[in-house]
Amino acid sequence: MKTTKYYIAAITAYTIWGFFSLVLKPIHDYPSLDILFNRVFSCSILMLLIVIAFKRKKVKETIEIFKALPLKEKRKTILLNIGGSIFLTSNWFTFIYVMNHVSVKATSLAYLVCPILTTLLAYFLLHEKLSKTQWVSVGLSISGCLLLSYADIMDMVFSIVIGLTYACYLVSQRVNKGFDKFIILTFHITLAALFLLPFYPAYSGPVPTEFRFYFCIETIAILFTIFPLFLNLYALSGINSSTVGMLLNINPMIAFALAAFVFHEEIGALQIVAYSIIFIAVLVFNSHLFVSLKQKYIPVSK
């Protein structure tokens, strides 16, 4: 299948993000803004160094492509990329704050809400078509999220804020085509760093001195930011944002398991049922893929 590589990219990205709490929790005693500042600045520096060392030809090509665009398309491209950077920065800050000061479960719920929001935004804004089976999947996801919000309504409020920022990022980048994905991602993160730079002197805490902090930050920058975000953008170039959004459910399912078995957060029967419903929803949404794979790899007996 032509789309298999895009599915693999999305699944890999969201599986990696599912384990984010393992590297974020060890530095939970640091302020959320300090973690955000260091994460964004570190990512920006690393990506700019890579671009300067290996991507100078691609930068020239990207500039030429942009210059050749009609004025209307230039404005659209600028808005998509500035908006993408704002959505990404907002998502990172709210995610770090909620994980370190509310609960891991709340961030897990956010990325269960996000696929629903992404699917709805893609349907209304991008006019992406959904089959009846996929609408059933969306309904199952909504019912699972409602069950979870019944247990803690404030978790749902925080989750909607986190989920909406990333849903907006996914939908905006679905139509941001024609440019090298690494260059685009470098622009998003560098612009995010420039947004945050004026706030750093006033809102940053004392400069961390522990090796643990910098080890976690660099791990977050490389393994949990640059690599999965690149895979995410690559996936969006080949499959619908609603599909990418629904695959995002892999992330919170892993995070939920970590919350229960690693961080020993209290997990009730209601939550187990809700997550089971959402897991079934993911399978239903992508059932057409399983059918296609079966037809491709399992010969039909005559």
Side-chain angles (χ1 to χ4, degrees), residues 40-298:
V40 176
F41 296 156
S42 183
C43 285
S44 178
I45 292 168
L46 284 171
M47 296 189 76
L48 285 172
L49 289 174
I50 292 170
V51 167
I52 293 168
F54 305 107
K55 292 273 190 177
R56 282 177 288 184
K57 185 178 178 181
K58 284 291 183 182
V59 171
K60 291 179 182 178
E61 290 176 4
T62 301
I63 293 171
E64 291 302 317
I65 292 170
F66 179 77
K67 286 181 177 179
L69 292 174
L71 182 60
K72 185 178 179 180
E73 287 298 312
K74 284 181 181 177
R75 289 174 180 169
K76 179 182 175 182
T77 300
I78 290 169
L79 286 174
L80 283 173
N81 285 289
I82 292 175
S85 184
I86 293 170
F87 291 138
L88 203 55
T89 308
S90 302
N91 177 260
W92 286 348
F93 174 71
T94 52
F95 179 88
I96 291 169
Y97 176 83
V98 173
M99 178 170 281
N100 282 350
H101 301 287
V102 181
S103 73
V104 175
K105 286 185 294 185
T107 58
S108 175
L109 177 57
Y111 289 107
L112 294 173
V113 174
C114 183
I116 299 167
L117 297 173
T118 303
T119 302
L120 294 176
L121 287 175
Y123 178 78
F124 288 109
L125 299 180
L126 304 183
H127 308 293
E128 291 184 359
K129 302 299 181 183
L130 296 176
S131 66
K132 291 181 180 178
T133 304
Q134 288 174 322
W135 277 116
V136 169
S137 172
V138 172
L140 286 171
S141 293
I142 291 172
S143 65
C145 289
L146 289 175
L147 282 175
L148 291 171
S149 66
Y150 177 79
D152 193 333
I153 192 66
M154 284 311 298
D155 273 9
M156 177 58 79
V157 172
F158 284 116
S159 298
I160 289 173
V161 174
I162 298 172
L164 183 61
T165 54
Y166 198 69
C168 290
Y169 179 75
L170 286 178
V171 171
S172 67
Q173 297 316 297
R174 171 62 180 162
V175 293
N176 189 17
K177 297 180 178 180
F179 301 97
D180 181 87
K181 296 303 178 186
F182 194 87
I183 301 297
I184 288 295
L185 185 57
T186 302
F187 178 84
H188 291 166
I189 292 177
T190 301
L191 188 58
L194 293 175
F195 284 149
L196 293 173
L197 192 58
F199 300 99
Y200 180 75
Y203 294 99
S204 63
V207 177
T209 56
E210 288 186 296
F211 171 78
R212 174 190 52 146
F213 177 82
Y214 292 103
F215 175 79
C216 289
I217 287 295
E218 293 309 312
T219 303
I220 289 170
I222 298 168
L223 184 59
F224 289 92
T225 304
I226 296 172
F227 184 54
L229 272 177
F230 176 76
L231 290 176
N232 199 180
L233 289 179
Y234 177 74
L236 283 168
S237 67
I239 52 180
N240 288 342
S241 49
S242 55
T243 303
V244 174
M246 191 57 69
L247 289 172
L248 182 59
N249 279 309
I250 295 168
N251 172 352
M253 287 177 197
I254 296 172
F256 178 77
L258 292 177
F261 300 111
V262 177
F263 300 111
H264 305 294
E265 292 187 5
E266 186 178 347
I267 304 295
L270 186 66
Q271 291 169 310
I272 294 171
V273 171
Y275 273 84
S276 299
I277 291 171
I278 292 166
F279 177 72
I280 293 170
V282 176
L283 297 180
V284 171
F285 192 92
N286 294 288
S287 59
H288 65 284
L289 176 65
F290 303 133
V291 172
S292 299
L293 288 172
K294 183 179 179 180
Q295 291 174 345
K296 181 177 180 180
Y297 293 109
I298 301 176

